[in-house]
Amino acid sequence: MSKRVFNFCAGPAALPEAVLLRAQAELLDWQGKGLSVMEMSHRSDEFTGIAETAEHDLRDLLSIPDNYKVLFLQGGASQQFAQVPLNLLPEEGIADYLDTGIWSRKAIDEARRFGNVNVAASAKPYDYFAIPGQNEWQLSKNAAYVHYASNETIGGLEFGWIPEVGDVPLVADMSSDILSRPIDISKFGLIYAGAQKNIGPSGLVVTIVREDLLGRARSSCPTMLDYKVAADNGSMYNTPPTWSWYLAGLVFAWLKEQGGVEAIGRINQLKQRKLYDFIDASGLYSNPIAKNDRSWMNVPFRLADEKLDKPFLAGAEVRGLLNLKGHRSVGGMRASIYNAVGMDAVDALLGYMAEFEKEHG
């Protein structure tokens, strides 16, 4: 494995090496069956076992209560921007949304295609460098749900707390920070997460939905997008993304082997603290996000002189530190340090950043 690099991509992101090796070993012959998981019938006993084990392990990792359904769906989180209002927003109803960055704004724009949206709070007055406190929010009295993105991968803004919205269902896009630390699932009506960051490869989205929210889809909602149809059919109304589901299951098993979300959360806390502490003490690098709202998973930073961006990235690539270029909408750099990005990767990055600062600072 000498050719493996340190991959800081925001998504599709790094996968645990142990997971890739196991998938490689089972690629042509899964557990002596003489065929690949990609070739199995999704109705077979073999794949049913894979699916059931994956769900069991995810429930175990997140302590998901029994009154929640776990769905393994297609389309990614962006499809959920439409699927959520089609299932939860009555045609004459209103939904509250929080605007903390690009992904939450995309969700807002999509929801407006299906009904009334109240932007209850926005980070825009803070240049998207801080999350407005709940005392600033203007929540509706009769909202069908409250939606927020728990972590903005592009801007590096993350909720370190769960909003309090009373009896109104709380809906969260947790695509980039699910499984990064423990969370109380019972606080939410629905959680969705694209797989390609902390769960597995792209093409899969995991949705965790409280049972009482099923059966509310509009009559115009396509059958494939109805959460109840998915739940009633065990996420197999049609042929699911079997390979992605299988790999997600391997990631869940790997995470349990690491000690679960409690253990990985402690590691993630150390990783992000190490990186932010270095940036804050530096004269060359900077991060503009309010300290209480900094993302654990996506760490954006800028160099004091933009002319140094290209040589920084070139030097990083030579050292096997890949995908550090920031999103085109914000520029600068971004290190995504999901669960599969170990402390050795962070240490290698910090070593290079110190070396580069010594030469160019």
Side-chain angles (χ1 to χ4, degrees):
M1 303 304 291
S2 60
K3 293 184 180 179
R4 294 287 293 173
V5 297
F6 292 122
N7 180 14
F8 296 96
C9 189
L15 286 166
E17 188 173 300
V19 166
L20 294 174
L21 287 170
R22 179 171 172 184
Q24 180 187 51
E26 296 180 341
L27 181 61
L28 294 178
D29 181 7
W30 181 82
Q31 297 189 8
K33 294 296 180 179
L35 78 168
S36 171
V37 172
M38 287 185 282
E39 302 170 298
M40 288 179 184
S41 166
H42 61 293
R43 305 292 185 189
S44 67
D45 291 342
E46 290 80 9
F47 188 78
T48 299
I50 289 171
E52 289 176 350
T53 298
E55 178 178 341
H56 175 272
D57 285 347
L58 181 61
R59 284 184 174 277
D60 193 25
L61 285 165
L62 292 176
S63 300
I64 299 173
D66 292 339
N67 64 323
Y68 285 75
K69 293 292 187 181
V70 176
L71 309 177
F72 292 83
L73 307 175
Q74 302 175 55
S78 292
Q79 183 167 289
Q80 296 297 304
F81 297 164
Q83 198 160 350
V84 167
L86 282 170
N87 278 270
L88 301 184
L89 179 58
E91 291 190 16
E92 301 303 321
I94 188 168
D96 287 341
Y97 277 70
L98 308 180
D99 166 26
T100 52
I102 290 175
W103 292 111
S104 53
R105 292 201 300 276
K106 284 180 178 288
I108 289 167
D109 290 342
E110 188 69 13
R112 281 175 169 156
R113 295 166 56 90
F114 304 101
N116 298 314
V117 170
N118 169 48
V119 179
S122 176
K124 186 176 181 179
Y126 302 99
D127 295 322
Y128 294 97
F129 295 156
I131 295 171
Q134 281 210 225
N135 60 316
E136 301 176 47
W137 299 7
Q138 298 294 322
L139 296 171
S140 304
K141 292 182 179 179
N142 56 344
Y145 60 87
V146 177
H147 178 284
Y148 78 113
S150 57
N151 181 60
E152 291 281 357
T153 58
I154 293 172
L157 197 65
E158 183 177 29
F159 281 80
W161 46 282
I162 299 174
E164 294 289 343
V165 295
D167 294 331
V168 179
L170 183 62
V171 176
D173 175 359
M174 289 191 180
S175 294
S176 48
D177 60 352
I178 195 169
L179 295 169
S180 65
R181 72 197 88 168
I183 189 166
D184 185 354
I185 300 295
S186 69
K187 299 285 188 181
F188 297 86
L190 185 147
I191 293 169
Y192 62 90
Q196 66 273 16
K197 303 178 190 294
N198 264 342
I199 294 175
S202 59
L204 176 74
V205 60
V206 172
T207 300
I208 304 167
V209 55
R210 206 172 63 216
E211 289 180 351
D212 65 288
L213 297 178
L214 299 173
R216 300 189 182 189
R218 300 180 181 190
S219 59
S220 60
C221 178
T223 303
M224 274 290 294
L225 301 186
D226 188 327
Y227 290 134
K228 188 176 189 304
V229 170
D232 289 347
N233 288 274
S235 301
M236 295 188 191
Y237 178 75
N238 75 329
T239 306
T242 55
W243 182 251
S244 295
W245 197 338
Y246 155 74
L247 281 171
L250 295 187
V251 171
F252 300 153
W254 170 83
L255 190 52
K256 292 181 76 172
E257 290 169 2
Q258 311 312 304
V261 290
E262 293 82 4
I264 208 72
R266 291 190 291 270
I267 294 171
N268 287 331
Q269 185 175 36
L270 291 173
K271 288 189 308 188
Q272 59 90 20
R273 183 183 299 163
K274 210 171 191 180
L275 191 47
Y276 284 121
D277 284 350
F278 177 88
I279 292 169
D280 289 342
S282 166
L284 181 64
Y285 310 103
S286 63
N287 173 284
I289 304 299
K291 290 186 176 182
N292 288 337
D293 300 328
R294 284 175 166 176
S295 171
W296 282 26
M297 299 285 97
N298 309 99
V299 181
F301 59 95
R302 291 183 174 275
L303 280 70
D305 186 347
E306 289 184 2
K307 293 179 181 178
L308 293 174
D309 287 2
K310 286 186 177 180
F312 178 86
L313 289 169
E317 186 166 353
V318 168
R319 290 161 178 78
L321 306 168
L322 302 190
N323 296 308
L324 286 166
K325 186 177 182 179
H327 192 271
R328 61 186 179 276
S329 64
V330 296
M333 306 297 153
R334 173 177 52 173
S336 294
I337 50 175
Y338 302 118
N339 288 347
V341 180
M343 190 67 77
D344 55 343
V346 173
D347 288 339
L349 174 58
L350 291 175
Y352 170 60
M353 290 173 70
E355 176 188 334
F356 191 87
E357 181 169 14
K358 186 176 181 180
E359 183 177 350
H360 298 280

